[in-house]
């Protein structure tokens, strides 16, 4: 079993009113010399036990003709140009993968099938509105709990006059509608796991771009078991797994330093575990990166659908990227 207790013990011994984010970043700033060793221990240990995340390479996402669409559909209308263009790329990736899940499913469904797509933790709808616009035969739900974002979403819906989008003001754990495809961009920490669990419960496909995995330990909303998969439950304790998630919580724009490479490798194991959980429930799964990766520093994508529904055209695969060069025997 991987022995990793030092980070948790130092973190949870802080004052009860300390801020989680500040404490975590302060810890890494003052203990940076220990990080490479911890990364190596986790990565070497899991690789030696046969846990080997592999990234799938697919066709380059098709560019959306944003300029031909109503302004209220385009993320660039609502944010500064640089950020808006990055958001466009994120949306293009999500929509291409959504199309892969839905197009093949349509061939195996009744002719009158109308897919139900849910954008969880949707904000004001930077993904949901392009979806509703581009998939007029789909019913899209925008699920968000923030009142300000919901008000902006209603404004956008009024401007666009779209009838195939429903705005749900509430927490994702209270959303009970049936759906065929779950989407989530940067649903923080354990919120991704709640979305993922809902998708498995419904037998629905999922396309998720997770973030902030260090916050998995803060889950008080849903009974999520960590590790998620039976495979990793037999290899890693819950405490060690949450330590791994803390080390994996890296969102900097640095993609090339040894620390960045290995902390991102740690996150790959978390995403591998989520997909493996789905595979144990009859899903076919894929681990990808947003193309281009620079569209967001939190650029992992996990995709899954029932083996009888959906198809992803794979061009190639690439192994886990890490600085680890030796694996213990």
């Amino acid at each position: 079993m991987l022995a990793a207790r030092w980070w948790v013990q130092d973190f949870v011994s802080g004052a009860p009113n300390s801020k989680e984010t500040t404490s975590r970043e302060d810890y890494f700033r003052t203990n940076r010399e220990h990080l490479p060793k911890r990364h190596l221990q986790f990565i070497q240990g899991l690789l030696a036990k046969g846990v080997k995340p592999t990234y799938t390479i697919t066709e380059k996402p098709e560019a959306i003709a944003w300029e031909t669409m109503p302004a209220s559909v385009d993320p660039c209308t609502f944010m500064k140009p640089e950020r808006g263009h990055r958001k466009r790329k994120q949306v293009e990736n999500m929509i291409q993968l959504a199309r892969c899940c839905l197009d093949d499913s349509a061939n195996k469904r009744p002719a009158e099938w109308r897919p139900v797509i849910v954008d969880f933790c949707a904000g004001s709808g930077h993904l949901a509105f392009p979806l509703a616009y581009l998939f007029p035969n789909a019913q899209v739900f925008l699920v968000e709990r923030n009142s300000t974002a919901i008000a902006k979403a209603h404004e956008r819906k009024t401007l666009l006059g779209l009838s195939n989008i429903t705005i749900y003001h509430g927490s994702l754990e209270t959303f009970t509608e049936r759906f065929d495809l779950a989407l989530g961009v940067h649903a923080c920490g354990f919120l991704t796991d709640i979305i993922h669990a809902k998708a498995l419960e419904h037998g629905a496909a999922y396309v998720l771009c997770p973030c902030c995995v260090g916050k998995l330990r803060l889950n008080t909303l849903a009974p999520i078991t960590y590790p998620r998969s039976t495979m990793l439950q037999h290899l890693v304790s819950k405490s060690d797994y949450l330590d791994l998630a803390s080390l994996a919580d890296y969102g900097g724009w640095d993609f090339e330093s040894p620390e960045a490479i290995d902390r991102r490798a740690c996150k790959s194991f978390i995403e591998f575990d989520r997909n493996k959980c789905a595979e144990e429930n009859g899903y076919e799964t894929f681990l990808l990166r947003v193309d281009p990766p620079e569209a967001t520093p939190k650029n992992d994508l996990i995709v899954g659908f029932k083996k009888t529904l959906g198809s992803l055209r794979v061009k190639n695969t690439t192994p886990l990227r890490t600085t680890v060069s030796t694996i213990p025997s």
Side-chain angles (χ1 to χ4, degrees):
M1 193 65 68
L2 300 175
R5 297 284 182 269
W6 53 273
W7 192 89
V8 177
Q9 289 169 354
D10 281 15
F11 174 73
V12 300
S13 63
N17 61 352
S18 61
K19 293 183 178 180
E20 188 271 341
T21 302
T22 301
S23 299
R24 172 162 43 84
E25 294 308 320
D26 285 349
Y27 186 90
F28 283 129
R29 274 195 293 270
T30 57
N31 294 273
R32 191 167 299 276
E33 68 274 13
H34 298 297
L35 287 175
K37 181 179 179 181
R38 298 307 302 148
H39 289 152
L40 294 177
Q41 288 175 342
F42 274 116
I43 295 168
Q44 287 178 324
L46 287 168
L47 288 174
K49 293 174 181 178
V51 183
K52 298 179 180 179
T54 301
Y55 281 83
T56 296
I57 301 173
T58 62
E59 299 289 341
K60 190 174 182 65
E62 184 178 343
I64 293 173
W66 296 102
E67 292 77 10
T68 68
M69 301 168 74
S72 292
V73 174
D74 186 356
C76 277
T77 302
F78 304 95
M79 54 187 71
K80 293 181 179 180
E82 183 179 359
R83 186 182 174 208
H85 285 288
R86 291 201 305 269
K87 181 58 70 175
R88 280 181 174 182
K89 293 299 181 184
Q90 295 169 30
V91 170
E92 288 171 357
N93 278 262
M94 297 294 290
I95 285 180
Q96 173 148 312
L97 293 170
R99 199 181 299 278
C100 289
C101 294
L102 294 176
D103 281 356
D104 264 52
S105 294
N107 295 328
K108 302 161 187 173
R109 306 270 193 175
E112 65 275 13
W113 179 59
R114 189 182 186 195
V116 179
I117 308 172
V118 186
D119 181 14
F120 289 101
C121 302
S124 63
H126 296 320
L127 173 59
F129 284 105
L131 275 167
Y133 187 84
L134 293 169
F135 294 84
N137 292 327
Q139 177 61 43
V140 177
F141 282 89
L142 183 161
V143 177
E144 175 59 48
R145 65 181 299 172
N146 182 278
S147 298
T148 301
I150 285 291
K152 291 178 180 177
H154 278 293
E155 290 176 10
R156 294 174 78 168
K157 182 177 179 180
T158 300
L159 287 169
L160 291 167
L162 292 173
S163 61
N164 66 329
I165 185 165
T166 300
I167 297 172
Y168 179 86
H169 185 192
S171 59
L172 63 89
E173 63 270 20
T174 63
F175 181 82
T176 58
E177 297 286 339
R178 181 199 66 81
F179 60 90
D180 302 293
L181 173 61
L183 303 177
V185 177
H186 298 158
C188 199
F190 59 85
L191 297 180
T192 289
D193 288 309
I194 297 177
I195 299 169
H196 188 253
K198 276 184 173 290
L200 300 191
E201 179 185 350
H202 286 263
Y206 62 85
V207 180
L208 304 173
C209 184
C211 75
C212 303
V213 292
K215 295 180 180 178
L216 297 187
R217 66 178 71 250
L218 303 180
N219 179 21
T220 59
L221 298 179
I224 302 291
T225 300
Y226 295 112
R228 296 289 311 285
S229 68
T230 301
M231 176 186 179
L232 260 71
Q233 288 170 16
H234 290 153
L235 299 176
V236 184
S237 71
K238 177 180 178 180
S239 180
D240 285 334
Y241 183 85
L242 294 177
D243 286 355
L244 174 65
S246 296
L247 287 165
D249 197 355
Y250 185 77
W253 288 101
D254 173 11
F255 295 92
E256 297 300 328
S257 72
E259 179 185 332
I261 290 170
D262 286 332
R263 287 181 70 176
R264 291 178 187 278
C266 288
K267 186 170 182 295
S268 301
F269 289 111
I270 302 297
E271 308 310 344
F272 172 94
D273 176 53
R274 287 164 164 162
N275 272 346
K276 182 58 66 173
C277 175
E279 290 176 15
E280 293 169 355
N281 284 274
Y283 278 66
E284 185 172 3
T285 72
F286 301 88
L287 173 60
L288 307 93
R289 285 198 175 94
V290 173
D291 183 6
E294 296 77 15
T296 169
K298 302 168 184 178
N299 55 28
D300 285 326
L301 289 163
I302 55 173
V303 178
F305 40 73
K306 285 289 188 177
K307 291 183 178 180
T308 55
L309 297 171
S311 177
L312 197 66
R313 289 173 284 279
V314 176
K315 287 183 63 178
N316 204 346
T317 59
T318 182
L320 179 72
R321 187 182 183 207
T322 174
T323 65
V324 172
S325 57
T326 59
I327 301 175
S329 56

